[in-house]
Structure formats: C-alpha cells, structure tokens
Amino acid sequence: MLVAPYHIEQFKNCILVTLRGDWDMAINIRYLGELSDCLKQRSGKPFHLIVDMRSWQDPKSDSNMRIKSTIRLDRRNQLSELWLEDENSDTGHIVKNFFADVSFPLDRTQSLTEFFSLCETKAEPLVVEYIKSWVAQNS
C-alpha cells in the first residue's frame, strides 16, 4: 500500500494536517474518516485546525462533492481553522460548500510570514515553534 498523501497529528491544542498531491474519491473518503476520528478524540477540548495544503489538488467531481456533503465533522469545540495554500490552490468551492455556517474563523494565506503570525494568535510560543518545524519538514 502506498503512503497516504496526508498526515494528521495532534500537538497540544492544535490538530496539524498536511495535504499533498492529486486526490481521488477513495483518498478523500479515507482522509475525511480519519479526520473525523481525530476530531472525536478531542473529547470536548477546544482546538485549532491548522492545515498545510501546498501542492494539494482536491477532486471536484460531482460524486466527490456528494460524498463530502454526507460526512459531518464534529467541529463543536473547534476554535479556528488556518490554511497555508500556494498559488495553485483552488479551494474556493470547499469554503463555499463547507464553511458557510461554522462558528469559528477560517483564515487562508499563501504567505509563510502571515501564516506564522496567525499561528501566534492561536497558540502558545512552544506550539508555534513546533508548527514552524512541522512546516519546514513539509517543504
């Protein structure tokens, strides 16, 4: 089996997600299932979701959108979501379809400087340092 083009990890009050490559429906279903399991493990503890999605290609097929719409993520304790994108990111359809009614801010940027500044508003310095090393490993 090939290595998954995503990685999900928890660190303190953050869930860090790396998304890479060109996805198909099977990868998307597997990822959303694992993310859902990770969110459930938070057991009522507040968290920030921080995503490095540089070079990620989300499939936009009709069947893929139907599957995503039936998967409900437990975001009750989510405080914010932050995406690090690149110039090829095409995620507007995700924002439109899945972030209209959330109770937390979604921040998106292509700038590492802005990304780290936003992290500093969400997490303690130790966590921000970890996030910086995490991003460097993903580059």
Side-chain angles (χ1 to χ4, degrees), residues 12-74:
K12 303 280 187 181
N13 67 331
C14 295
I15 297 174
L16 307 175
V17 177
T18 306
L19 308 177
R20 292 291 185 263
D22 190 12
W23 287 25
D24 61 20
M25 189 177 356
I27 294 170
N28 211 22
I29 291 168
R30 194 169 70 223
Y31 162 71
L32 289 171
E34 287 183 31
L35 180 60
S36 178
D37 290 344
C38 183
L39 298 180
K40 288 175 189 172
Q41 291 174 6
R42 292 299 302 171
S43 303
K45 294 177 265 183
F47 67 93
H48 301 278
L49 185 63
I50 299 177
V51 184
D52 179 353
M53 59 176 56
R54 294 171 293 168
S55 78
W56 175 60
Q57 298 296 314
D58 178 45
K60 294 181 209 117
S61 69
D62 288 339
S63 60
N64 202 37
M65 293 307 291
R66 281 193 304 272
I67 287 169
K68 280 197 237 177
S69 67
T70 61
I71 295 175
R72 298 281 179 231
L73 299 174
D74 184 358

Side-chain angles (χ1 to χ4, degrees), residues 114-133:
E114 183 179 7
F115 180 78
F116 294 132
S117 292
L118 288 165
C119 288
E120 289 170 357
T121 68
K122 300 172 188 331
E124 61 188 65
L126 172 72
V127 176
V128 175
E129 288 306 312
Y130 184 84
I131 291 169
K132 287 179 179 179
S133 67

Side-chain angles (χ1 to χ4, degrees), residues 62-127:
D62 288 339
S63 60
N64 202 37
M65 293 307 291
R66 281 193 304 272
I67 287 169
K68 280 197 237 177
S69 67
T70 61
I71 295 175
R72 298 281 179 231
L73 299 174
D74 184 358
R75 296 174 176 265
R76 287 177 287 182
N77 298 304
Q78 187 169 346
L79 300 171
S80 70
E81 189 156 335
L82 172 57
W83 294 356
L84 178 58
E85 301 177 279
D86 63 16
E87 64 279 350
N88 296 315
S89 297
D90 184 14
T91 55
H93 63 288
I94 296 172
V95 174
K96 179 182 170 192
N97 292 326
F98 301 102
F99 285 89
D101 298 323
V102 295
S103 62
F104 55 84
L106 168 64
D107 295 303
R108 302 165 61 192
T109 185
Q110 293 181 17
S111 162
L112 276 174
T113 303
E114 183 179 7
F115 180 78
F116 294 132
S117 292
L118 288 165
C119 288
E120 289 170 357
T121 68
K122 300 172 188 331
E124 61 188 65
L126 172 72
V127 176

